[in-house]
């Protein structure tokens, strides 16, 4: 087999890159080690920045997103039992849309297969070879047979646990681990608010978000080594109610919890994102803490840059963009990293014993919500300006 761009991974990054390339007449083959059913059910991100929303519309796959997604014009911040709205549209002219990552993946896969473009699910033993030569290859087993895919370029879009990043020689890694985690639930109940609620409480952070008019995703800041078995449904709802409380007696809608998990929070960036003819994009190259809802949006920014420099190479025989790919991405990667860490530090209880730090945090929250400049800075970061 031979193609122009071999893509490892059918997550948001790999699928979107393939579509961007296809729109510009560049061939690609996606090699994915999971099944179609698995990647289409994997519940993860749900917030799309205005730029991501515009991208999907421009790729001709935004119809269901615009119909079923929930467009939000702001978020609510809660602290000291009071509520403060950050109005994105008033402050920036932009908005966000809530549309599950798995729904976006379904739309991308459907469009890909409808156009009969190669997307190989359940490939095993995937490995890369000759990446610093003009003819890099992807080796894998597919339907019981050993395969070799020869490429001009390889895009490593295989997520944080993939194989591509391991091939970056002398990579510089920047990492920060947070001393707490998130206990997340998916519950069958109508959202309690039209917009996401971010609550900073003396007991810890809480987030109320939604995936559909009947499905909510709520999170609680918890210990890093929290044992999920110690959290009955009643205990979870009780803790959420306390952290979300307002003086007017607000109550979150409660419903059947269908999924519970604890995840750690970390920041991770690898530089460089390229070696020879291998280019990393998305979670393969960086992870952000989820507070700023940036992970998937960041993956999409990378592939927009990668598609552009590949297009320059194929249409104008101009390699300079390809050589600069990692540098071109660095600015948006660190900007997203900065915003995500800032939101995390602002809203979480960093040290339960440190009341001085907590007083400063509340003062900063007041400064943001009482000032147009402060609110605008948060709104710009959130919508992805
Ligand atoms: C539990 C969880 C919750 C999250 N919640 C949020 C959120 O609320 N908001 C937010 O913005 N972000 C969130 N994220 C982050 C967001 O989901 C990611 O940033 C996004 O999925 C990145 O897309 P990607 O395509 O780079 O990587 P992925 O989505 O990880 O896709 C990588 C693909 O590569 C495949 N693959 C891996 N290894 C191989 C291999 N060896 N060979 C072939 N294929 C391979 C994988 O199966 C996968 O399909 C969450 C992540 C997790 C794990």
């Amino acid at each position: 087999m031979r193609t122009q761009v071999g893509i490892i991974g059918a997550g948001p990054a790999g699928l979107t890159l393939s579509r961007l390339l296809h729109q510009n007449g560049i061939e690609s083959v996606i090699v994915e080690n999971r099944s179609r059913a698995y990647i289409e059910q994997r519940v993860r991100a749900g917030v799309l920045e205005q730029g991501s929303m515009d991208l999907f519309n421009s790729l001709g796959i935004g119809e269901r997103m615009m119909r079923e997604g929930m467009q939000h014009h702001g978020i609510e911040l809660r602290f000291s039992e009071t509520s403060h709205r950050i109005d994105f549209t008033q402050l920036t002219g932009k908005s966000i849309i809530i549309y599950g990552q798995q729904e976006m993946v379904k739309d991308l896969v459907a469009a890909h297969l409808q156009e009969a473009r190669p997307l190989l699910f359940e490939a095993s033993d995937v490995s890369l070879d000759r990446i610093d030569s003009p003819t890099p290859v992807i080796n894998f087993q597919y339907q019981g047979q050993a395969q070799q895919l020869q490429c001009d370029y390889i895009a490593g879009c295989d997520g944080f646990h993939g194989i591509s990043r391991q091939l970056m020689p002398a990579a510089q890694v920047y990492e920060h681990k947070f001393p707490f985690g998130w206990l997340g639930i998916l519950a069958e109940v109508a959202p309690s608010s039209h917009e996401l609620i971010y609550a900073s409480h003396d007991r810890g952070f809480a987030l109320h978000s939604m995936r559909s008019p009947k499905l909510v995703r709520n999170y609680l800041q918890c210990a890093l080594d929290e044992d999920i078995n110690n959290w009955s449904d009643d205990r979870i709802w009780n803790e959420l109610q306390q952290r979300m409380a307002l003086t007017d007696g607000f109550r979150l809608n409660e419903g059947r919890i269908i999924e519970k998990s604890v995840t750690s929070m970390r920041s991770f960036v690898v530089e460089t994102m390229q070696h020879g003819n291998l280019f990393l994009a998305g979670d393969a190259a960086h992870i952000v803490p989820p507070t700023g809802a940036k992970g998937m949006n960041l993956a999409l920014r990378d592939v927009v840059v990668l598609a552009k420099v590949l297009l320059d190479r194929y249409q104008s025989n101009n390699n300079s963009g390809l050589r600069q790919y990692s540098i071109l991405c660095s600015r948006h990667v660190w900007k997203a990293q900065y915003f995500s860490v800032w939101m995390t530090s602002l809203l979480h209880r960093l040290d339960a014993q440190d009341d001085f730090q907590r007083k400063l945090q509340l003062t900063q929250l007041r400064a943001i919500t009482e000032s147009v400049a402060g609110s605008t800075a948060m709104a710009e970061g959130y919508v992805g300006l």
Side-chain angles (χ1 to χ4, degrees), residues 84-119:
H84 308 262
R85 183 159 185 269
I86 305 290
D87 189 325
F88 297 156
T89 307
Q90 196 180 63
L91 294 165
T92 69
K94 307 281 182 195
S95 61
I96 54 168
I97 197 160
I98 309 299
Y99 191 60
Q101 176 173 330
Q102 74 282 9
E103 301 306 321
M104 197 187 84
V105 163
K106 277 182 206 160
D107 296 343
L108 283 161
V109 168
H112 196 106
L113 296 179
Q114 204 171 24
E115 289 154 0
R117 292 188 291 121
L119 168 43

CSV table of all heavy atoms in Angstrom, one decimal, residues 84-119:
chain,number,residue,atom,x,y,z
A,84,HIS,N,-22.1,34.4,39.3
A,84,HIS,CA,-21.6,35.5,38.4
A,84,HIS,C,-21.6,35.0,37.0
A,84,HIS,O,-20.9,33.9,36.8
A,84,HIS,CB,-20.3,35.9,38.9
A,84,HIS,CG,-20.2,36.2,40.3
A,84,HIS,ND1,-20.3,37.5,40.8
A,84,HIS,CD2,-20.1,35.4,41.4
A,84,HIS,CE1,-20.2,37.5,42.1
A,84,HIS,NE2,-20.1,36.2,42.5
A,85,ARG,N,-22.1,35.7,36.0
A,85,ARG,CA,-22.1,35.2,34.7
A,85,ARG,C,-21.0,35.9,33.9
A,85,ARG,O,-20.8,37.1,34.0
A,85,ARG,CB,-23.5,35.4,34.0
A,85,ARG,CG,-23.6,34.9,32.6
A,85,ARG,CD,-25.0,34.7,32.2
A,85,ARG,NE,-25.0,34.0,30.9
A,85,ARG,CZ,-25.0,34.7,29.7
A,85,ARG,NH1,-25.0,36.0,29.7
A,85,ARG,NH2,-25.0,34.1,28.6
A,86,ILE,N,-20.3,35.1,33.1
A,86,ILE,CA,-19.3,35.6,32.2
A,86,ILE,C,-20.0,35.5,30.8
A,86,ILE,O,-20.2,34.4,30.3
A,86,ILE,CB,-18.0,34.8,32.2
A,86,ILE,CG1,-17.4,34.7,33.6
A,86,ILE,CG2,-17.0,35.4,31.2
A,86,ILE,CD1,-16.8,36.0,34.2
A,87,ASP,N,-20.3,36.6,30.2
A,87,ASP,CA,-21.1,36.7,29.0
A,87,ASP,C,-20.1,36.7,27.8
A,87,ASP,O,-19.6,37.8,27.4
A,87,ASP,CB,-22.0,37.9,29.0
A,87,ASP,CG,-23.0,37.9,27.8
A,87,ASP,OD1,-22.6,37.4,26.8
A,87,ASP,OD2,-24.1,38.3,28.0
A,88,PHE,N,-19.9,35.6,27.2
A,88,PHE,CA,-18.9,35.5,26.1
A,88,PHE,C,-19.3,36.4,24.9
A,88,PHE,O,-18.5,37.1,24.3
A,88,PHE,CB,-18.8,34.1,25.6
A,88,PHE,CG,-18.2,33.1,26.6
A,88,PHE,CD1,-18.5,31.7,26.4
A,88,PHE,CD2,-17.5,33.5,27.6
A,88,PHE,CE1,-18.1,30.8,27.4
A,88,PHE,CE2,-17.0,32.6,28.6
A,88,PHE,CZ,-17.3,31.2,28.4
A,89,THR,N,-20.5,36.3,24.6
A,89,THR,CA,-21.0,37.0,23.3
A,89,THR,C,-20.9,38.5,23.5
A,89,THR,O,-20.4,39.2,22.6
A,89,THR,CB,-22.4,36.5,22.9
A,89,THR,OG1,-22.3,35.1,22.9
A,89,THR,CG2,-22.8,37.0,21.6
A,90,GLN,N,-21.3,39.0,24.7
A,90,GLN,CA,-21.2,40.4,24.9
A,90,GLN,C,-19.7,40.9,25.0
A,90,GLN,O,-19.4,41.9,24.4
A,90,GLN,CB,-21.9,40.7,26.2
A,90,GLN,CG,-22.2,42.2,26.4
A,90,GLN,CD,-22.9,42.4,27.8
A,90,GLN,OE1,-22.3,42.1,28.8
A,90,GLN,NE2,-24.1,42.8,27.7
A,91,LEU,N,-18.9,40.0,25.6
A,91,LEU,CA,-17.5,40.5,25.8
A,91,LEU,C,-16.6,40.2,24.6
A,91,LEU,O,-15.6,40.9,24.4
A,91,LEU,CB,-16.9,39.7,27.0
A,91,LEU,CG,-17.6,40.1,28.4
A,91,LEU,CD1,-17.2,39.0,29.4
A,91,LEU,CD2,-17.2,41.5,28.8
A,92,THR,N,-16.9,39.2,23.8
A,92,THR,CA,-16.0,38.8,22.7
A,92,THR,C,-16.7,38.7,21.3
A,92,THR,O,-16.0,38.5,20.3
A,92,THR,CB,-15.3,37.5,22.9
A,92,THR,OG1,-16.3,36.4,22.9
A,92,THR,CG2,-14.7,37.4,24.3
A,93,GLY,N,-18.0,38.7,21.3
A,93,GLY,CA,-18.8,38.5,20.1
A,93,GLY,C,-18.8,37.0,19.6
A,93,GLY,O,-19.3,36.6,18.6
A,94,LYS,N,-18.2,36.1,20.5
A,94,LYS,CA,-18.1,34.7,20.1
A,94,LYS,C,-19.0,33.8,21.1
A,94,LYS,O,-19.4,34.3,22.2
A,94,LYS,CB,-16.7,34.2,20.2
A,94,LYS,CG,-15.7,35.0,19.4
A,94,LYS,CD,-15.7,34.7,18.0
A,94,LYS,CE,-14.7,35.5,17.2
A,94,LYS,NZ,-14.9,35.5,15.8
A,95,SER,N,-19.1,32.5,20.8
A,95,SER,CA,-19.8,31.6,21.6
A,95,SER,C,-19.1,30.3,21.6
A,95,SER,O,-18.1,30.1,20.9
A,95,SER,CB,-21.3,31.5,21.2
A,95,SER,OG,-21.3,31.0,19.9
A,96,ILE,N,-19.7,29.3,22.3
A,96,ILE,CA,-19.1,27.9,22.2
A,96,ILE,C,-20.3,27.0,22.0
A,96,ILE,O,-21.5,27.4,22.1
A,96,ILE,CB,-18.5,27.5,23.6
A,96,ILE,CG1,-19.5,27.7,24.8
A,96,ILE,CG2,-17.2,28.2,23.8
A,96,ILE,CD1,-19.1,27.1,26.1
A,97,ILE,N,-20.0,25.7,21.6
A,97,ILE,CA,-21.2,24.8,21.4
A,97,ILE,C,-20.8,23.5,22.2
A,97,ILE,O,-19.7,23.1,22.2
A,97,ILE,CB,-21.4,24.5,19.9
A,97,ILE,CG1,-22.8,23.9,19.7
A,97,ILE,CG2,-20.4,23.7,19.3
A,97,ILE,CD1,-23.4,24.0,18.3
A,98,ILE,N,-21.9,23.0,22.8
A,98,ILE,CA,-21.7,21.7,23.6
A,98,ILE,C,-22.1,20.6,22.6
A,98,ILE,O,-23.3,20.5,22.3
A,98,ILE,CB,-22.6,21.7,24.9
A,98,ILE,CG1,-22.3,22.9,25.7
A,98,ILE,CG2,-22.3,20.4,25.7
A,98,ILE,CD1,-20.9,23.1,26.2
A,99,TYR,N,-21.2,19.7,22.3
A,99,TYR,CA,-21.4,18.7,21.3
A,99,TYR,C,-20.4,17.6,21.7
A,99,TYR,O,-19.2,17.8,21.6
A,99,TYR,CB,-21.3,19.1,19.9
A,99,TYR,CG,-21.8,18.2,18.8
A,99,TYR,CD1,-23.1,17.8,18.8
A,99,TYR,CD2,-20.9,17.7,17.9
A,99,TYR,CE1,-23.6,16.9,17.8
A,99,TYR,CE2,-21.4,16.8,16.9
A,99,TYR,CZ,-22.7,16.5,16.8
A,99,TYR,OH,-23.1,15.6,15.9
A,100,GLY,N,-20.9,16.4,22.1
A,100,GLY,CA,-20.0,15.4,22.6
A,100,GLY,C,-18.9,15.0,21.5
A,100,GLY,O,-19.2,14.9,20.3
A,101,GLN,N,-17.7,14.8,22.0
A,101,GLN,CA,-16.6,14.4,21.2
A,101,GLN,C,-17.0,13.1,20.4
A,101,GLN,O,-16.6,13.0,19.2
A,101,GLN,CB,-15.4,14.1,22.0
A,101,GLN,CG,-14.2,13.6,21.3
A,101,GLN,CD,-12.9,13.6,22.1
A,101,GLN,OE1,-12.7,14.3,23.1
A,101,GLN,NE2,-12.0,12.6,21.8
A,102,GLN,N,-17.7,12.2,21.0
A,102,GLN,CA,-18.0,10.9,20.3
A,102,GLN,C,-19.0,11.2,19.2
A,102,GLN,O,-19.0,10.5,18.2
A,102,GLN,CB,-18.5,9.9,21.3
A,102,GLN,CG,-19.9,10.1,21.9
A,102,GLN,CD,-20.0,11.1,23.0
A,102,GLN,OE1,-19.1,11.8,23.3
A,102,GLN,NE2,-21.2,11.2,23.6
A,103,GLU,N,-19.8,12.2,19.3
A,103,GLU,CA,-20.8,12.6,18.2
A,103,GLU,C,-20.0,13.1,17.0
A,103,GLU,O,-20.3,12.8,15.9
A,103,GLU,CB,-21.8,13.6,18.7
A,103,GLU,CG,-22.7,13.1,19.9
A,103,GLU,CD,-23.3,11.7,19.6
A,103,GLU,OE1,-23.8,11.5,18.5
A,103,GLU,OE2,-23.4,10.9,20.6
A,104,MET,N,-19.0,14.0,17.4
A,104,MET,CA,-18.2,14.6,16.3
A,104,MET,C,-17.4,13.5,15.6
A,104,MET,O,-17.3,13.5,14.4
A,104,MET,CB,-17.2,15.5,17.0
A,104,MET,CG,-16.6,16.5,16.2
A,104,MET,SD,-15.4,17.3,17.2
A,104,MET,CE,-14.0,16.2,17.1
A,105,VAL,N,-16.9,12.5,16.4
A,105,VAL,CA,-16.2,11.4,15.8
A,105,VAL,C,-17.1,10.6,14.9
A,105,VAL,O,-16.7,10.2,13.7
A,105,VAL,CB,-15.5,10.5,16.9
A,105,VAL,CG1,-15.1,9.1,16.4
A,105,VAL,CG2,-14.3,11.2,17.5
A,106,LYS,N,-18.3,10.4,15.3
A,106,LYS,CA,-19.3,9.6,14.5
A,106,LYS,C,-19.5,10.4,13.1
A,106,LYS,O,-19.6,9.8,12.1
A,106,LYS,CB,-20.7,9.6,15.2
A,106,LYS,CG,-20.8,8.4,16.2
A,106,LYS,CD,-22.2,8.5,16.8
A,106,LYS,CE,-22.2,7.8,18.1
A,106,LYS,NZ,-23.3,8.2,19.0
A,107,ASP,N,-19.7,11.7,13.2
A,107,ASP,CA,-19.9,12.5,12.0
A,107,ASP,C,-18.7,12.4,11.0
A,107,ASP,O,-18.9,12.3,9.8
A,107,ASP,CB,-20.2,14.0,12.3
A,107,ASP,CG,-21.5,14.1,13.2
A,107,ASP,OD1,-22.3,13.2,13.2
A,107,ASP,OD2,-21.6,15.2,13.8
A,108,LEU,N,-17.5,12.5,11.6
A,108,LEU,CA,-16.3,12.4,10.8
A,108,LEU,C,-16.1,11.0,10.2
A,108,LEU,O,-15.8,10.9,9.0
A,108,LEU,CB,-15.1,12.7,11.7
A,108,LEU,CG,-14.9,14.2,12.0
A,108,LEU,CD1,-13.9,14.4,13.2
A,108,LEU,CD2,-14.3,15.0,10.8
A,109,VAL,N,-16.4,10.0,10.9
A,109,VAL,CA,-16.2,8.6,10.4
A,109,VAL,C,-17.3,8.4,9.3
A,109,VAL,O,-16.9,7.8,8.2
A,109,VAL,CB,-16.4,7.6,11.5
A,109,VAL,CG1,-16.5,6.2,11.0
A,109,VAL,CG2,-15.2,7.6,12.5
A,110,ALA,N,-18.5,8.8,9.5
A,110,ALA,CA,-19.6,8.6,8.5
A,110,ALA,C,-19.2,9.3,7.2
A,110,ALA,O,-19.3,8.7,6.1
A,110,ALA,CB,-20.9,9.1,9.1
A,111,ALA,N,-18.7,10.5,7.3
A,111,ALA,CA,-18.4,11.2,6.1
A,111,ALA,C,-17.2,10.6,5.4
A,111,ALA,O,-17.2,10.4,4.1
A,111,ALA,CB,-18.0,12.7,6.4
A,112,HIS,N,-16.2,10.1,6.2
A,112,HIS,CA,-15.0,9.4,5.6
A,112,HIS,C,-15.4,8.2,4.9
A,112,HIS,O,-15.0,8.0,3.7
A,112,HIS,CB,-14.1,9.1,6.8
A,112,HIS,CG,-12.7,8.8,6.5
A,112,HIS,ND1,-11.7,9.6,6.7
A,112,HIS,CD2,-12.2,7.7,5.9
A,112,HIS,CE1,-10.6,9.1,6.3
A,112,HIS,NE2,-10.8,7.9,5.8
A,113,LEU,N,-16.3,7.3,5.5
A,113,LEU,CA,-16.6,6.1,4.9
A,113,LEU,C,-17.5,6.3,3.7
A,113,LEU,O,-17.5,5.5,2.7
A,113,LEU,CB,-17.2,5.1,5.9
A,113,LEU,CG,-16.3,4.7,7.0
A,113,LEU,CD1,-17.0,3.8,8.0
A,113,LEU,CD2,-15.0,4.1,6.5
A,114,GLN,N,-18.4,7.3,3.8
A,114,GLN,CA,-19.3,7.6,2.6
A,114,GLN,C,-18.5,7.9,1.4
A,114,GLN,O,-18.9,7.6,0.3
A,114,GLN,CB,-20.1,8.8,3.0
A,114,GLN,CG,-21.5,8.8,2.3
A,114,GLN,CD,-22.3,9.9,2.9
A,114,GLN,OE1,-21.9,10.9,3.5
A,114,GLN,NE2,-23.6,9.8,2.7
A,115,GLU,N,-17.3,8.6,1.6
A,115,GLU,CA,-16.5,8.9,0.4
A,115,GLU,C,-15.5,7.8,0.1
A,115,GLU,O,-14.6,8.0,-0.8
A,115,GLU,CB,-15.7,10.2,0.8
A,115,GLU,CG,-16.5,11.4,0.8
A,115,GLU,CD,-16.0,12.5,1.7
A,115,GLU,OE1,-14.9,12.3,2.3
A,115,GLU,OE2,-16.6,13.6,1.8
A,116,ALA,N,-15.7,6.6,0.7
A,116,ALA,CA,-15.0,5.4,0.4
A,116,ALA,C,-13.5,5.7,0.6
A,116,ALA,O,-12.6,5.2,-0.2
A,116,ALA,CB,-15.3,4.9,-1.0
A,117,ARG,N,-13.1,6.4,1.6
A,117,ARG,CA,-11.7,6.7,1.8
A,117,ARG,C,-11.2,5.7,2.9
A,117,ARG,O,-11.9,5.3,3.7
A,117,ARG,CB,-11.5,8.1,2.3
A,117,ARG,CG,-11.8,9.1,1.1
A,117,ARG,CD,-11.4,10.5,1.4
A,117,ARG,NE,-12.2,11.1,2.5
A,117,ARG,CZ,-11.8,11.6,3.6
A,117,ARG,NH1,-10.5,11.6,3.9
A,117,ARG,NH2,-12.6,12.2,4.4
A,118,PRO,N,-9.9,5.3,2.8
A,118,PRO,CA,-9.4,4.2,3.6
A,118,PRO,C,-9.3,4.6,5.1
A,118,PRO,O,-8.6,5.6,5.4
A,118,PRO,CB,-8.0,3.8,3.0
A,118,PRO,CG,-7.7,4.9,2.1
A,118,PRO,CD,-8.9,5.7,1.8
A,119,LEU,N,-9.9,3.8,5.9
A,119,LEU,CA,-9.9,4.0,7.4
A,119,LEU,C,-9.9,2.6,8.0
A,119,LEU,O,-10.9,1.9,7.9
A,119,LEU,CB,-11.1,4.8,7.9
A,119,LEU,CG,-11.5,4.9,9.3
A,119,LEU,CD1,-10.3,5.2,10.2
A,119,LEU,CD2,-12.5,6.0,9.5
